[in-house]
Structures are given as structure tokens and as C-alpha cells.
Amino acid sequence: MLRYLVANIPVMQNFNKSRYAGQWYAVGKKDPDGLFLLDNIVANFNVDEDGITTATARGRVYIFKYWEVCADMRATFEDTSDPAKFKMKYWGVSALLQTGYDDHWVIDTDYDNYAVHYSCRKVHEVNGTCADSYSFIFSRHESGLRLEDQQIVSAKKHDICLAGKYRRVTHTPGQCENLTPIDS
Ligand code: DAO
């Protein structure tokens, strides 16, 4: 099977969104075209009693290229026929921040330590490969991935054809909180 086709990218089997809920620290990121979230990225997923998934996320960003702020983001998720593939509508608490409607695919997770996320924003019409993707490596631990999870995550990066394309996402305690929050 040609794994580099977006349609063939393997996602998490029997994904359980309730177990995915809670706080995740982004510890690695493959950026899309027009990078947005830089570092100190923390996402909180919530699944309500009706099974509706929402998220809040925070991270350091630059607005207008020079204005460094802490972005407060919100997202709602639509289920699809595959339990590990969602459509995510997102927006900023401030209107100056990005809005969008992206795929949010969970490639792999053990729910308690690591998760590999993938989103393809643009598929090449001619050959079915991804023209603009981004991906977060999430950890439940601010300090990063446990040694035993690093090999699994590396293999998954390879599966989604993004090996070697990630950068480390740093977390500096208090850094985001100390920036001006923008709210409208
Ligand atoms: O940072 O370059 C980027 C793209 C990320 C856009 C998504 C921001 C909103 C995230 C909300 C929820 C959790 C992933």
C-alpha cells in the first residue's frame, strides 16, 4: 500500500476519545505553511456527556511578525466515520488570531503518555499526497516523551512520511502567562 497517499495514512485503531481527553503538552511539531503556534503549546481536550469534543489551547505566537503574544484558542470537533479522524473548527479568543477548519487525526496514542497528531490542509489533486501538513507530538508530561515512547513515536513519524521534519517545542514555565494576553 502506498502510505504517502493521504487517504492511506494509518490512524489509531479503536480510538477512544474519552481516554484522549485532558491535558497534552506539545513537545514536537511539524509546521504547516504559514506557521502559527511556536512554543509553550498546551492543549486541553474535553468530551461532554453527549460525546461532543471541544478543546482549548494556548501557545506563544507572533502577530504581524513582531508582536509576541500568548494565543488562547478554542476548537470544536466533528466526528467522522473513522473514530480517530475529526474535523476541527478553531478560532482565537481574540479576533486577531487564526481561525480555521482542519483535519485532526490521531495517528497513535497510549492515552497516558504520548499521542501523535496529523493534519493535512491541502491534498495534491494529481497524486493524492499532502501539499501542506502539520503534526503535533503530544506528551502528558511537560518534560517530554519518556525514553520508551520515543522509538514508537519515531516509527509513527516515519509512517506519516514526516520523519526528520519536526522541531522541538519548548516549555518555559510562566513564559506564556507573562505575555500580554490578547482578548478581542
Ligand atoms: O500552529 O501552525 C499552527 C497550526 C495549528 C492550528 C491549530 C490551532 C488551534 C488548536 C486547537 C486545538 C488543539 C490541537
mmCIF file of all heavy atoms in Angstrom, residues 157-184:
data_model
loop_
_atom_site.group_PDB
_atom_site.id
_atom_site.type_symbol
_atom_site.label_atom_id
_atom_site.label_comp_id
_atom_site.label_asym_id
_atom_site.label_seq_id
_atom_site.Cartn_x
_atom_site.Cartn_y
_atom_site.Cartn_z
ATOM 1 N N LYS A 157 6.246 8.764 13.017
ATOM 2 C CA LYS A 157 6.639 9.897 12.169
ATOM 3 C C LYS A 157 7.008 9.384 10.776
ATOM 4 O O LYS A 157 6.685 9.995 9.765
ATOM 5 C CB LYS A 157 7.858 10.614 12.760
ATOM 6 C CG LYS A 157 7.587 11.419 14.006
ATOM 7 C CD LYS A 157 8.902 11.989 14.515
ATOM 8 C CE LYS A 157 8.745 12.875 15.715
ATOM 9 N NZ LYS A 157 10.037 13.338 16.258
ATOM 10 N N HIS A 158 7.679 8.252 10.759
ATOM 11 C CA HIS A 158 8.081 7.633 9.509
ATOM 12 C C HIS A 158 6.842 7.192 8.721
ATOM 13 O O HIS A 158 6.727 7.444 7.524
ATOM 14 C CB HIS A 158 8.983 6.442 9.844
ATOM 15 C CG HIS A 158 9.615 5.834 8.666
ATOM 16 N ND1 HIS A 158 10.727 6.390 8.067
ATOM 17 C CD2 HIS A 158 9.290 4.738 7.941
ATOM 18 C CE1 HIS A 158 11.049 5.642 7.028
ATOM 19 N NE2 HIS A 158 10.196 4.645 6.929
ATOM 20 N N ASP A 159 5.887 6.587 9.406
ATOM 21 C CA ASP A 159 4.639 6.098 8.764
ATOM 22 C C ASP A 159 3.870 7.213 8.071
ATOM 23 O O ASP A 159 3.154 6.966 7.104
ATOM 24 C CB ASP A 159 3.675 5.513 9.817
ATOM 25 C CG ASP A 159 4.083 4.141 10.276
ATOM 26 O OD1 ASP A 159 5.068 3.607 9.743
ATOM 27 O OD2 ASP A 159 3.405 3.600 11.178
ATOM 28 N N ILE A 160 3.958 8.429 8.646
ATOM 29 C CA ILE A 160 3.190 9.528 8.045
ATOM 30 C C ILE A 160 4.087 10.400 7.147
ATOM 31 O O ILE A 160 3.713 11.521 6.783
ATOM 32 C CB ILE A 160 2.432 10.360 9.111
ATOM 33 C CG1 ILE A 160 3.371 10.956 10.171
ATOM 34 C CG2 ILE A 160 1.369 9.526 9.787
ATOM 35 C CD1 ILE A 160 2.666 11.829 11.230
ATOM 36 N N CYS A 161 5.257 9.845 6.825
ATOM 37 C CA CYS A 161 6.202 10.483 5.883
ATOM 38 C C CYS A 161 6.693 11.839 6.377
ATOM 39 O O CYS A 161 6.954 12.740 5.575
ATOM 40 C CB CYS A 161 5.560 10.646 4.498
ATOM 41 S SG CYS A 161 4.995 9.104 3.801
ATOM 42 N N LEU A 162 6.810 12.004 7.693
ATOM 43 C CA LEU A 162 7.269 13.290 8.217
ATOM 44 C C LEU A 162 8.545 13.145 9.056
ATOM 45 O O LEU A 162 8.926 14.084 9.759
ATOM 46 C CB LEU A 162 6.166 13.964 9.053
ATOM 47 C CG LEU A 162 4.908 14.424 8.297
ATOM 48 C CD1 LEU A 162 3.914 15.085 9.245
ATOM 49 C CD2 LEU A 162 5.268 15.378 7.168
ATOM 50 N N ALA A 163 9.181 11.992 8.967
ATOM 51 C CA ALA A 163 10.422 11.795 9.732
ATOM 52 C C ALA A 163 11.431 12.878 9.353
ATOM 53 O O ALA A 163 11.574 13.216 8.172
ATOM 54 C CB ALA A 163 10.990 10.411 9.442
ATOM 55 N N GLY A 164 12.058 13.469 10.349
ATOM 56 C CA GLY A 164 13.079 14.492 10.097
ATOM 57 C C GLY A 164 12.513 15.885 9.895
ATOM 58 O O GLY A 164 13.260 16.836 9.684
ATOM 59 N N LYS A 165 11.195 16.007 9.967
ATOM 60 C CA LYS A 165 10.597 17.329 9.681
ATOM 61 C C LYS A 165 10.103 18.056 10.934
ATOM 62 O O LYS A 165 9.516 19.125 10.838
ATOM 63 C CB LYS A 165 9.423 17.146 8.726
ATOM 64 C CG LYS A 165 9.812 16.448 7.434
ATOM 65 C CD LYS A 165 9.193 17.112 6.233
ATOM 66 C CE LYS A 165 9.874 16.653 4.975
ATOM 67 N NZ LYS A 165 8.979 16.111 4.003
ATOM 68 N N TYR A 166 10.324 17.471 12.082
ATOM 69 C CA TYR A 166 9.805 18.066 13.327
ATOM 70 C C TYR A 166 10.843 18.950 13.990
ATOM 71 O O TYR A 166 12.031 18.738 13.864
ATOM 72 C CB TYR A 166 9.412 16.963 14.321
ATOM 73 C CG TYR A 166 8.171 16.208 13.916
ATOM 74 C CD1 TYR A 166 8.241 15.221 12.942
ATOM 75 C CD2 TYR A 166 6.932 16.484 14.495
ATOM 76 C CE1 TYR A 166 7.111 14.524 12.551
ATOM 77 C CE2 TYR A 166 5.798 15.782 14.115
ATOM 78 C CZ TYR A 166 5.898 14.804 13.146
ATOM 79 O OH TYR A 166 4.766 14.111 12.756
ATOM 80 N N ARG A 167 10.343 19.904 14.756
ATOM 81 C CA ARG A 167 11.212 20.678 15.644
ATOM 82 C C ARG A 167 10.712 20.458 17.064
ATOM 83 O O ARG A 167 9.557 20.075 17.272
ATOM 84 C CB ARG A 167 11.186 22.163 15.280
ATOM 85 C CG ARG A 167 9.821 22.803 15.448
ATOM 86 C CD ARG A 167 9.798 24.272 15.075
ATOM 87 N NE ARG A 167 8.432 24.771 15.115
ATOM 88 C CZ ARG A 167 7.815 25.198 16.205
ATOM 89 N NH1 ARG A 167 8.442 25.196 17.370
ATOM 90 N NH2 ARG A 167 6.573 25.617 16.167
ATOM 91 N N ARG A 168 11.610 20.678 17.985
ATOM 92 C CA ARG A 168 11.251 20.532 19.400
ATOM 93 C C ARG A 168 10.415 21.734 19.838
ATOM 94 O O ARG A 168 10.695 22.868 19.455
ATOM 95 C CB ARG A 168 12.528 20.457 20.228
ATOM 96 C CG ARG A 168 12.312 20.140 21.682
ATOM 97 C CD ARG A 168 13.651 20.155 22.396
ATOM 98 N NE ARG A 168 14.505 19.063 21.961
ATOM 99 C CZ ARG A 168 14.522 17.862 22.526
ATOM 100 N NH1 ARG A 168 13.749 17.612 23.557
ATOM 101 N NH2 ARG A 168 15.329 16.915 22.078
ATOM 102 N N VAL A 169 9.373 21.488 20.624
ATOM 103 C CA VAL A 169 8.558 22.580 21.171
ATOM 104 C C VAL A 169 8.939 22.726 22.643
ATOM 105 O O VAL A 169 8.769 21.782 23.428
ATOM 106 C CB VAL A 169 7.043 22.279 21.035
ATOM 107 C CG1 VAL A 169 6.216 23.351 21.717
ATOM 108 C CG2 VAL A 169 6.658 22.162 19.559
ATOM 109 N N THR A 170 9.467 23.886 22.991
ATOM 110 C CA THR A 170 9.935 24.075 24.362
ATOM 111 C C THR A 170 8.814 24.606 25.266
ATOM 112 O O THR A 170 7.858 25.221 24.794
ATOM 113 C CB THR A 170 11.119 25.060 24.403
ATOM 114 O OG1 THR A 170 10.732 26.227 23.695
ATOM 115 C CG2 THR A 170 12.342 24.468 23.743
ATOM 116 N N HIS A 171 8.980 24.342 26.527
ATOM 117 C CA HIS A 171 8.046 24.852 27.547
ATOM 118 C C HIS A 171 8.865 25.575 28.604
ATOM 119 O O HIS A 171 9.713 24.979 29.250
ATOM 120 C CB HIS A 171 7.253 23.701 28.174
ATOM 121 C CG HIS A 171 6.269 23.130 27.219
ATOM 122 N ND1 HIS A 171 4.960 23.548 27.158
ATOM 123 C CD2 HIS A 171 6.414 22.216 26.231
ATOM 124 C CE1 HIS A 171 4.348 22.914 26.183
ATOM 125 N NE2 HIS A 171 5.201 22.092 25.594
ATOM 126 N N THR A 172 8.625 26.862 28.716
ATOM 127 C CA THR A 172 9.320 27.658 29.719
ATOM 128 C C THR A 172 8.284 28.076 30.737
ATOM 129 O O THR A 172 7.389 28.865 30.388
ATOM 130 C CB THR A 172 9.950 28.914 29.066
ATOM 131 O OG1 THR A 172 10.649 28.495 27.904
ATOM 132 C CG2 THR A 172 10.862 29.646 30.006
ATOM 133 N N PRO A 173 8.354 27.542 31.947
ATOM 134 C CA PRO A 173 7.314 27.854 32.925
ATOM 135 C C PRO A 173 7.096 29.353 33.058
ATOM 136 O O PRO A 173 8.060 30.114 33.192
ATOM 137 C CB PRO A 173 7.839 27.236 34.219
ATOM 138 C CG PRO A 173 8.782 26.168 33.771
ATOM 139 C CD PRO A 173 9.377 26.652 32.469
ATOM 140 N N GLY A 174 5.843 29.769 32.969
ATOM 141 C CA GLY A 174 5.484 31.166 33.157
ATOM 142 C C GLY A 174 5.628 32.023 31.916
ATOM 143 O O GLY A 174 5.130 33.138 31.864
ATOM 144 N N GLN A 175 6.336 31.509 30.874
ATOM 145 C CA GLN A 175 6.618 32.378 29.727
ATOM 146 C C GLN A 175 5.338 32.852 29.037
ATOM 147 O O GLN A 175 5.163 34.036 28.777
ATOM 148 C CB GLN A 175 7.501 31.693 28.697
ATOM 149 C CG GLN A 175 7.952 32.695 27.640
ATOM 150 C CD GLN A 175 8.799 32.083 26.547
ATOM 151 O OE1 GLN A 175 8.624 30.938 26.174
ATOM 152 N NE2 GLN A 175 9.721 32.861 26.018
ATOM 153 N N CYS A 176 4.432 31.919 28.764
ATOM 154 C CA CYS A 176 3.202 32.307 28.077
ATOM 155 C C CYS A 176 2.363 33.205 28.977
ATOM 156 O O CYS A 176 1.853 34.241 28.546
ATOM 157 C CB CYS A 176 2.426 31.061 27.661
ATOM 158 S SG CYS A 176 1.442 31.353 26.194
ATOM 159 N N GLU A 177 2.264 32.833 30.228
ATOM 160 C CA GLU A 177 1.449 33.606 31.176
ATOM 161 C C GLU A 177 1.944 35.044 31.322
ATOM 162 O O GLU A 177 1.170 35.957 31.572
ATOM 163 C CB GLU A 177 1.446 32.949 32.562
ATOM 164 C CG GLU A 177 0.698 31.630 32.645
ATOM 165 C CD GLU A 177 1.458 30.453 32.031
ATOM 166 O OE1 GLU A 177 2.629 30.627 31.640
ATOM 167 O OE2 GLU A 177 0.867 29.375 31.917
ATOM 168 N N ASN A 178 3.275 35.222 31.165
ATOM 169 C CA ASN A 178 3.833 36.554 31.357
ATOM 170 C C ASN A 178 3.647 37.484 30.165
ATOM 171 O O ASN A 178 3.923 38.662 30.240
ATOM 172 C CB ASN A 178 5.327 36.467 31.679
ATOM 173 C CG ASN A 178 5.541 35.876 33.062
ATOM 174 O OD1 ASN A 178 4.623 35.895 33.881
ATOM 175 N ND2 ASN A 178 6.712 35.334 33.309
ATOM 176 N N LEU A 179 3.205 36.905 29.029
ATOM 177 C CA LEU A 179 2.993 37.748 27.854
ATOM 178 C C LEU A 179 1.621 38.391 27.938
ATOM 179 O O LEU A 179 0.719 37.881 28.602
ATOM 180 C CB LEU A 179 3.064 36.901 26.580
ATOM 181 C CG LEU A 179 4.443 36.382 26.226
ATOM 182 C CD1 LEU A 179 4.336 35.393 25.089
ATOM 183 C CD2 LEU A 179 5.346 37.532 25.848
ATOM 184 N N THR A 180 1.460 39.478 27.203
ATOM 185 C CA THR A 180 0.164 40.156 27.200
ATOM 186 C C THR A 180 -0.882 39.203 26.631
ATOM 187 O O THR A 180 -0.742 38.745 25.502
ATOM 188 C CB THR A 180 0.220 41.357 26.219
ATOM 189 O OG1 THR A 180 1.530 41.858 26.191
ATOM 190 C CG2 THR A 180 -0.840 42.370 26.530
ATOM 191 N N PRO A 181 -1.935 38.912 27.396
ATOM 192 C CA PRO A 181 -3.000 38.111 26.777
ATOM 193 C C PRO A 181 -3.830 39.023 25.879
ATOM 194 O O PRO A 181 -4.119 40.152 26.276
ATOM 195 C CB PRO A 181 -3.803 37.605 27.976
ATOM 196 C CG PRO A 181 -3.415 38.465 29.112
ATOM 197 C CD PRO A 181 -2.206 39.276 28.749
ATOM 198 N N ILE A 182 -4.141 38.610 24.655
ATOM 199 C CA ILE A 182 -4.980 39.484 23.837
ATOM 200 C C ILE A 182 -6.384 38.907 23.816
ATOM 201 O O ILE A 182 -6.579 37.722 23.620
ATOM 202 C CB ILE A 182 -4.458 39.698 22.408
ATOM 203 C CG1 ILE A 182 -4.055 38.390 21.772
ATOM 204 C CG2 ILE A 182 -3.314 40.660 22.383
ATOM 205 C CD1 ILE A 182 -3.859 38.524 20.294
ATOM 206 N N ASP A 183 -7.330 39.748 24.101
ATOM 207 C CA ASP A 183 -8.695 39.228 24.190
ATOM 208 C C ASP A 183 -9.679 40.196 23.544
ATOM 209 O O ASP A 183 -10.353 40.940 24.225
ATOM 210 C CB ASP A 183 -9.086 38.948 25.649
ATOM 211 C CG ASP A 183 -8.670 40.058 26.579
ATOM 212 O OD1 ASP A 183 -8.440 41.171 26.101
ATOM 213 O OD2 ASP A 183 -8.586 39.793 27.788
ATOM 214 N N SER A 184 -9.759 40.184 22.324
ATOM 215 C CA SER A 184 -10.689 40.848 21.411
ATOM 216 C C SER A 184 -10.055 41.992 20.647
ATOM 217 O O SER A 184 -8.891 42.293 20.829
ATOM 218 C CB SER A 184 -11.939 41.362 22.081
ATOM 219 O OG SER A 184 -11.650 42.464 22.901
#
